Amino acid sequence: KATHRIPRWKKPAIPLLTKAPGPETAATAEAVNPSVQPASVSMPPNTPVSPVASSPDPSTGVAAELTGTASMVLQAANDRAVAHETFLRVMDNLQSSMQQQLQLQQQLIQAALTGQPIPQVNPVALDTAPAEMPPTPTVSSQRSVLFNREQCFEFAVGSVARMLGPEFAEVDSYPTRVRLPDEPLQLVDRILEIDGVPRSMQSGRVVTEHDVLPGAWYLDGNRAPTCISVEAGQADLFLSGYLGIDFQHKGQAVYRLLDAVVTFHRDLPQPGETILYDIHIDHFFRQGDTWLFRFWFDGTINGKPFITMRKGCAGFFSEEELNAGKGIVHTRLDLMEQPGKKPDGSKPLVPMMIESYTDSQVDALRNGDLASCYGSAFRDLPLKHPLTLPGGRMKLVDRILELNPEGGRFGLGQIRGEADIHPDDWFLTCHFCDDHVMPGTLMYECCQHTMRILLMRMGWLAETEGAVWQPVPEIGNQLKCRGQVIESTQKVEYRITLKEVGYRPEPYAIADALMLADGKPIVEVINLSVMLTGTDQPSLEQMWASKQPTGIPVKAPIFDTDRITAFAVGKPSEAFGDRYRVFDEERRIARLPGPPFQFLDRITEIQATPWELKAGGVIEAQYDVPADAWYFGANRQPEMPFCVLLETALQPCGWLAAYLGSALTSDKDLAFRNLDGSAVQLKTVTPESGTLTTKVKITSVSQSGGMIIQSFDYEMVDAEGPVYRGDTVFGFFTRDALANQIGLRDTEPFRIDDPARKQGQTFNYPAQGPFPETKMRMINRISCYLPDGGDAGLGYIEGEMDVDPSAWFFKAHFYQDPVVPGSLGLESMLQCLKVVAADRWDVGPDTIFETIALKQKHQWSYRGQVVPDNSRVRVEAMITAVNDDYRMLTADGYLHVDGKTIYRMNDFTLKLK
């Protein structure tokens, strides 16, 4: 029944009073742009504030100030009624055809849901609709409609005067104005109600709807995704224009979202559902010359809560203000490490390690090819059509720069994704037609997609049918925008840091996200949440149990143990072919360690070109930990010694350097030496660990003065996940260069020359358990121990070792180039710490020393060598921290040979289990 009524927004009304801007508004503007200064406000509490006035404009005759008297308000209302005469005529036409439209819309709903042909529709001619924009059938509300979809498009890309009447004609002459987005991101299907006085710059309200249609371009898992569900509440743009914001900045400023907290209360909407948004602007306020407003909305589906947005703030900024913004600024507290939250006793579904994925790998993942992105562990999973990432317009992540399963300040994992930006990208050209900028809601979605890549790598997978990635209900997702992505932007980066993972029963995760534009942090999402509905923990565990064998499989080698051993102690040509035949007898080449110090069994993957010495090559190496390995007994400990762990990680670096042909770049024989490194141990290695797999990547290569310097990244994993990861630097040197090394420069060894040194204890190094046996013992005696010595007064210890030219390690490390392994030099420092720990806390034969303490980063440097001609090695360590609760020591140390300081180790730790 079409009956004419005056809409509520046309009725004469007393202008609503606005709230005085409080301190929080100043803080918001200042965070966006430091050049914007807070306005000076001085009034008693709860004092009503007069409506915001506009400046006089002689060309339009707009009053300089709106008063609160009824007579002036009525006069203004009459003027507005005359100005809207054209629009009322259109409304009469629209309402007279309402009954016909409702009937047609019901037919459209039925056709869309059943797949039947869409009935032919003779659209109602509207004199406000552009000729080139025919009406689009939609699922309509049963409520009265003030503005239909075509009229909303007019506000987006056409004339505001043709929608709101000649009173707004001046705005069409401005270089830019507040608009709704263009297709495909214009999501307001109809405007049902408006409360507020046009051009009043007071509070207001608008009610809109968005229909989720079958086959909609944005559907993800057959749901309207997060960004669409938020963006569809975009009519705060319309409402701010209706309330007169364009008359204030006159096209010299553009709209930007600043803050919002979004909370979902149910699942994402499905096709056939309509979302109703009740949007409120509470008040406008100024900070200097900048206009801002606070707003919020409630979104419902069938009258039930779906989404709420609170603490919304947006502003209108000039180009100068946007360029002057500092972006997201973090305090030291924001970056402080904190413990993450995960279920007790949870174990990884699939082994993980630091990885990166190319554009083609991410595209393969998007197409459902898990193994081409994640590796062989994801091959032959019992999934026909796994739910991954959407494509088309929703292709928002191009590549993954790094996935670190233990990264981030919460220690639960971090991922960094990247995307290229092009001036003609759809999300720029449609948002907005006269001000191309990436929507903040789409930035939110980019972060969610990157987060999903990490969670899928963790093993969170399900069939497309019945599974959905969506936000966790009742979690406030806080969005903060302090920059923009525009046509000149080249690249954006997404950094997602997990802070909580668990099951409810579906798997869920909460993270903090940071987005950067060309290196500048511009958007932050606190408590970004996502869950995978359609599965649960038992289902995931069952899926992986049916696929994943116990332990890491021993892969077919590309280079087997025999060839590796040939390179270590035999003929290099038997390992690498004829190009290295010259090193079989005529020349010497840098070797790998030989037995019993060889901890490399096979090379199983190679992504590098042989004989091309350049960065970027990657290999995968494996070492099978023997249950009865000699070093467990010699160290009198049930865990792999640090020196063996370090060698297992670094020996593949030497193999990769040889594979790339490093020795062939010089006509002189070169030796290979480790120079620097830093790492963290994440898990202990025991006789039950089985196979260790290490991935090594050469990250840089430089040559100068006959030397070659190479840098590497590495990560070691066992069947349950990461064990040890770090980075290191090696160098190739001539024999003359090694003989003339001067040691570490600018060092301050902890040598004690004052009388207090005479008080230090001296004794032979303990020979009984839990201290190492002779083969692993790198200290003969303690030459000075001061329990309260050192700069910090926490302890100082010094040990000595006599160099024995016949020692086993000279033969093993290296063939034709005998030198004490640097790893054994670092082990000697840890053996000194065992003495300090035994003195500080009671130990017995069965005490277990954790060396290095887990998750404690350590660093080392070598600038010299210990060779058979040397006489004495002296090692000293100063305790820098003691934790009696955890029985853990932290220390810095040096190693000297015959008076020359050649090794340094920082932040090395020992913990009693």
Side-chain angles (χ1 to χ4, degrees):
K1 182 178 181 180
T3 58
H4 179 77
R5 71 180 182 90
I6 299 178
R8 290 165 58 184
W9 64 272
K10 291 183 176 294
K11 296 179 181 178
I14 302 296
L16 299 176
L17 298 180
T18 60
K19 180 181 177 182
E24 72 280 1
T25 62
T28 300
E30 186 176 7
V32 176
N33 183 0
S35 65
V36 179
Q37 299 298 321
S40 175
V41 179
S42 178
M43 61 183 66
N46 303 319
T47 301
V49 182
S50 299
V52 179
S54 61
S55 300
D57 189 336
S59 65
T60 62
V62 178
E65 184 178 59
L66 297 175
T67 69
T69 64
S71 59
M72 293 189 68
V73 170
L74 291 173
Q75 181 62 44
N78 291 332
D79 292 342
R80 286 193 296 274
V82 173
H84 286 288
E85 180 180 356
T86 302
F87 175 71
L88 286 174
R89 183 174 63 256
V90 174
M91 289 298 297
D92 287 341
N93 292 338
L94 177 64
Q95 290 173 341
S96 66
S97 62
M98 183 67 70
Q99 185 173 7
Q100 177 188 359
Q101 290 189 33
L102 290 176
Q103 293 173 350
L104 290 173
Q105 288 153 357
Q106 292 301 317
Q107 296 175 30
L108 291 171
I109 294 173
Q110 183 65 23
L113 296 178
T114 62
Q116 298 174 357
I118 297 178
Q120 297 297 315
V121 179
N122 294 320
V124 178
L126 299 175
D127 61 359
T128 59
E132 68 275 9
M133 193 179 299
T136 302
T138 62
V139 179
S140 176
S141 167
Q142 299 299 314
R143 303 170 63 178
S144 298
V145 176
L146 295 182
F147 296 106
N148 63 13
R149 182 171 176 80
E150 288 68 41
Q151 291 167 307
C152 292
F153 269 114
E154 183 71 34
F155 188 83
V157 299
S159 165
V160 66
R162 293 181 67 180
M163 182 183 185
L164 297 182
E167 184 179 359
F168 286 82
E170 177 188 338
V171 176
D172 286 331
S173 68
Y174 296 159
T176 184
R177 67 171 173 86
V178 63
R179 297 177 180 269
L180 291 173
D182 192 4
E183 191 74 85
L185 212 56
Q186 201 294 94
L187 303 173
V188 180
D189 288 325
R190 64 197 65 86
I191 297 176
L192 304 180
E193 296 182 45
I194 304 175
D195 286 335
V197 178
R199 299 182 56 177
S200 67
M201 293 298 289
Q202 299 181 41
S203 61
R205 170 177 173 260
V206 62
V207 179
T208 69
E209 286 184 330
H210 173 69
D211 305 321
V212 181
L213 298 176
W217 65 268
Y218 51 68
L219 293 179
D220 180 12
N222 205 38
R223 303 280 181 139
T226 302
C227 64
I228 296 298
S229 298
V230 181
E231 181 65 33
Q234 61 195 199
D236 65 290
L237 292 157
F238 166 81
L239 184 57
S240 67
Y242 172 83
L243 294 174
I245 188 62
D246 291 304
F247 293 96
Q248 307 304 316
H249 58 72
K250 299 186 181 300
Q252 301 304 310
V254 291
Y255 171 97
R256 293 294 183 266
L257 176 67
L258 299 177
D259 297 290
V261 178
V262 179
T263 306
F264 290 83
H265 306 288
R266 50 149 276 180
D267 289 349
L268 293 172
Q270 305 178 66
E273 294 185 314
T274 294
I275 315 170
L276 183 144
Y277 295 91
D278 191 343
I279 304 166
H280 298 251
I281 290 181
D282 285 340
H283 64 279
F284 293 87
F285 59 96
R286 293 181 67 172
Q287 298 295 333
D289 295 330
T290 303
W291 279 98
L292 301 100
F293 67 88
R294 294 202 173 277
F295 68 107
W296 55 277
F297 68 67
D298 290 334
T300 57
I301 297 176
N302 295 326
K304 296 182 179 180
F306 160 54
I307 182 175
T308 54
M309 194 281 291
R310 295 293 185 265
K311 299 182 180 180
C313 184
F316 295 83
F317 303 93
S318 67
E319 183 177 356
E320 292 76 14
E321 290 173 322
L322 291 172
N323 292 335
K326 293 182 179 180
I328 299 292
V329 179
H330 285 136
T331 66
R332 183 178 299 178
L333 181 62
D334 294 330
L335 304 176
M336 186 178 299
E337 291 188 1
Q338 298 183 27
K341 183 178 180 181
K342 64 179 180 179
D344 293 337
S346 61
K347 293 185 177 181
L349 294 169
V350 59
M352 298 185 67
M353 60 194 307
I354 294 179
E355 296 173 347
S356 60
Y357 310 130
T358 63
D359 296 43
S360 60
Q361 286 177 294
V362 176
D363 285 340
L365 176 65
R366 192 172 279 113
N367 294 327
D369 185 356
L370 303 174
S372 293
C373 181
Y374 292 141
S376 57
F378 285 73
R379 188 170 289 116
D380 300 325
L381 281 168
L383 293 171
K384 295 181 179 179
H385 302 289
L387 178 64
T388 57
L389 296 173
R393 292 192 181 111
M394 283 299 186
K395 182 178 181 293
L396 303 175
V397 184
D398 290 336
R399 65 197 64 91
I400 297 301
L401 303 177
E402 182 183 70
L403 184 154
N404 186 335
E406 301 283 342
R409 68 189 188 103
F410 302 97
L412 295 182
Q414 186 179 63
I415 186 170
R416 295 190 297 118
E418 188 178 66
D420 302 324
I421 302 297
H422 312 91
D424 59 350
D425 282 329
W426 69 271
F427 48 78
L428 294 176
T429 57
C430 77
H431 186 275
F432 303 93
C433 70
D434 58 3
D435 171 34
H436 295 176
V437 62
M438 188 177 189
T441 54
L442 201 65
M443 299 176 181
Y444 184 116
E445 190 78 13
C446 295
C447 294
Q448 269 202 341
H449 285 198
T450 307
M451 183 176 176
R452 283 162 60 171
I453 294 174
L454 171 57
L455 298 178
M456 288 187 287
R457 178 60 181 85
M458 290 168 48
W460 290 8
L461 299 165
E463 292 283 5
T464 297
E465 186 68 29
V468 182
W469 287 101
Q470 53 187 336
V472 180
E474 309 307 330
I475 298 294
N477 299 255
Q478 180 181 347
L479 181 65
K480 180 185 295 185
C481 303
R482 296 295 183 269
Q484 56 184 352
V485 173
I486 54 178
E487 292 167 308
S488 60
T489 304
Q490 299 294 311
K491 292 183 184 295
V492 291
E493 180 183 335
Y494 323 115
R495 297 178 182 175
I496 317 301
T497 303
L498 295 184
K499 59 197 299 185
E500 181 177 343
V501 294
Y503 299 90
R504 40 168 290 143
E506 62 277 330
Y508 78 93
I510 301 173
D512 288 345
L514 184 68
M515 179 174 173
L516 300 89
D518 292 336
K520 178 181 178 180
I522 61 167
V523 172
E524 184 173 43
V525 185
I526 303 297
N527 292 334
L528 175 69
S529 68
V530 68
M531 64 181 182
L532 179 58
T533 59
T535 188
D536 53 23
Q537 184 175 9
S539 299
L540 293 174
E541 291 176 345
Q542 182 178 1
M543 177 185 69
W544 282 103
S546 65
K547 163 65 177 68
Q548 193 75 12
T550 57
I552 292 181
V554 176
K555 297 183 179 180
I558 302 174
F559 283 75
D560 59 16
T561 305
D562 290 342
R563 295 177 70 181
I564 292 170
T565 303
F567 180 62
V569 298
K571 294 182 178 181
S573 64
E574 294 180 3
F576 294 106
D578 288 344
R579 291 206 184 190
Y580 272 176
R581 190 173 298 280
V582 67
F583 298 105
D584 288 351
E585 296 179 1
E586 299 175 26
R587 294 181 56 187
R588 293 184 179 183
I589 190 174
R591 304 277 191 154
L592 288 176
F597 215 56
Q598 179 179 316
F599 308 115
L600 174 59
D601 288 337
R602 69 193 70 86
I603 303 298
T604 54
E605 290 185 14
I606 303 174
Q607 299 176 25
T609 303
W611 319 116
E612 289 188 11
L613 186 55
K614 63 180 182 180
V618 178
I619 64 166
E620 181 183 84
Q622 289 189 328
Y623 170 61
D624 303 323
V625 179
D628 59 350
W630 66 268
Y631 44 77
F632 290 120
N635 200 40
R636 290 181 173 141
Q637 292 286 294
E639 298 175 356
M640 178 182 280
F642 172 73
C643 61
V644 177
L645 179 75
L646 185 60
E647 288 290 331
T648 305
L650 299 189
Q651 288 181 14
C653 300
W655 188 93
L656 178 56
Y659 182 80
L660 298 177
S662 301
L664 298 177
T665 62
S666 173
D667 57 0
K668 295 182 179 180
D669 294 345
L670 301 176
F672 193 53
R673 297 288 187 268
N674 192 209
L675 297 176
D676 298 286
S678 65
V680 60
Q681 185 173 352
L682 304 166
K683 186 175 182 292
T684 58
V685 179
T686 68
E688 292 77 35
S689 291
T691 299
L692 300 177
T693 299
T694 303
K695 276 196 174 181
V696 172
K697 180 178 182 178
I698 183 168
T699 57
S700 69
V701 176
S702 62
Q703 302 183 60
S704 177
M707 296 183 297
I708 307 173
I709 305 300
Q710 301 173 348
S711 299
F712 301 85
D713 289 343
Y714 58 86
E715 182 176 44
M716 179 193 301
V717 301
D718 65 5
E720 295 182 352
V723 173
Y724 191 60
R725 69 167 65 105
D727 55 78
T728 190
V729 179
F730 279 89
F732 284 89
F733 304 94
T734 64
R735 307 291 170 176
D736 292 341
L738 290 176
N740 294 324
Q741 283 185 313
I742 63 173
L744 287 164
R745 299 180 179 181
D746 303 323
T747 60
E748 296 182 3
F750 315 125
R751 302 181 65 172
I752 301 177
D753 297 325
D754 58 43
R757 181 174 177 79
K758 296 180 180 179
Q759 306 300 318
Q761 305 174 34
T762 61
F763 47 88
N764 289 332
Y765 193 84
Q768 70 281 5
F771 300 94
E773 291 183 349
T774 303
K775 188 171 184 177
M776 275 292 295
R777 193 179 308 146
M778 299 302 297
I779 298 292
N780 299 139
R781 57 191 167 273
I782 300 300
S783 53
C784 180
Y785 173 47
L786 294 167
D788 298 323
D791 293 342
L794 298 175
Y796 170 87
I797 189 167
E798 179 184 282
E800 294 181 348
M801 181 187 76
D802 298 322
V803 178
D804 179 3
S806 64
W808 65 270
F809 43 75
F810 281 128
K811 183 178 179 180
H813 186 278
F814 299 101
Y815 177 64
Q816 299 176 329
D817 178 26
V819 61
V820 173
S823 58
L824 285 179
L826 302 184
E827 186 72 29
S828 67
M829 299 181 188
L830 293 168
Q831 290 181 6
C832 285
L833 283 194
K834 291 182 179 182
V835 174
V836 179
D839 180 60
R840 191 173 189 94
W841 304 294
D842 291 336
V843 301
D846 297 327
T847 296
I848 299 175
F849 295 111
E850 188 178 273
T851 58
I852 300 287
L854 299 184
K855 298 186 178 180
Q856 303 297 313
K857 189 173 182 178
H858 50 278
Q859 299 173 324
W860 66 89
S861 296
Y862 305 132
R863 293 298 184 271
Q865 56 186 350
V866 180
V867 295
D869 292 339
N870 291 128
S871 298
R872 180 173 298 175
V873 171
R874 184 170 62 88
V875 176
E876 55 182 346
M878 185 182 335
I879 311 302
T880 58
V882 177
N883 188 323
D884 286 314
D885 293 334
Y886 291 95
R887 297 195 298 175
M888 185 172 75
L889 301 173
T890 304
D892 293 339
Y894 289 93
L895 184 145
H896 319 268
V897 58
D898 295 341
K900 183 188 297 183
T901 305
I902 62 170
Y903 294 0
R904 173 173 52 209
M905 192 173 186
N906 297 107
D907 300 323
F908 59 103
T909 48
L910 178 144
K911 181 179 177 183
L912 263 63
K913 285 195 171 181

